[in-house]
Amino acid sequence: TAAVLQARWQGLQRITGNVVGVRKVVEAASTPDTRLVLVNVQFNRLSDNLYVILNAENQITGVDFPEYPAGPR
């Protein structure tokens, strides 16, 4: 749900900081109905990967947040 997505995003940002920008986007896999896209995001404190799942109309149907974001270097 939107509420769960928002709560997970806010939890991630408590660790990573705010989004600064997107560093790289790569299509990791695809089928006729879906695409899995790896998005490397630069946050204030670190960069990490998000997996975004798109349907055939390029609508976001899922986002996989890192369970344990990489710590600052």
Side-chain angles (χ1 to χ4, degrees):
T1 65
V4 170
L5 182 61
Q6 182 176 6
R8 289 192 64 201
W9 181 255
Q10 290 171 340
L12 178 67
Q13 284 192 305
R14 278 192 284 281
I15 298 167
T16 62
N18 293 326
V19 172
V20 174
V22 174
R23 296 173 63 175
K24 188 174 182 181
V25 178
V26 177
E27 185 174 307
S30 67
T31 68
D33 298 328
T34 62
R35 291 183 359 194
L36 178 62
V37 179
L38 174 69
V39 181
N40 184 263
V41 181
Q42 179 67 50
F43 297 93
N44 288 103
R45 297 184 192 108
L46 54 93
S47 65
D48 212 333
N49 296 315
L50 305 177
Y51 287 95
V52 180
I53 303 163
L54 305 169
N55 65 15
E57 289 79 39
N58 286 327
Q59 297 169 321
I60 296 172
T61 59
V63 178
D64 185 15
F65 297 100
E67 204 169 318
Y68 304 103
R73 293 181 183 158

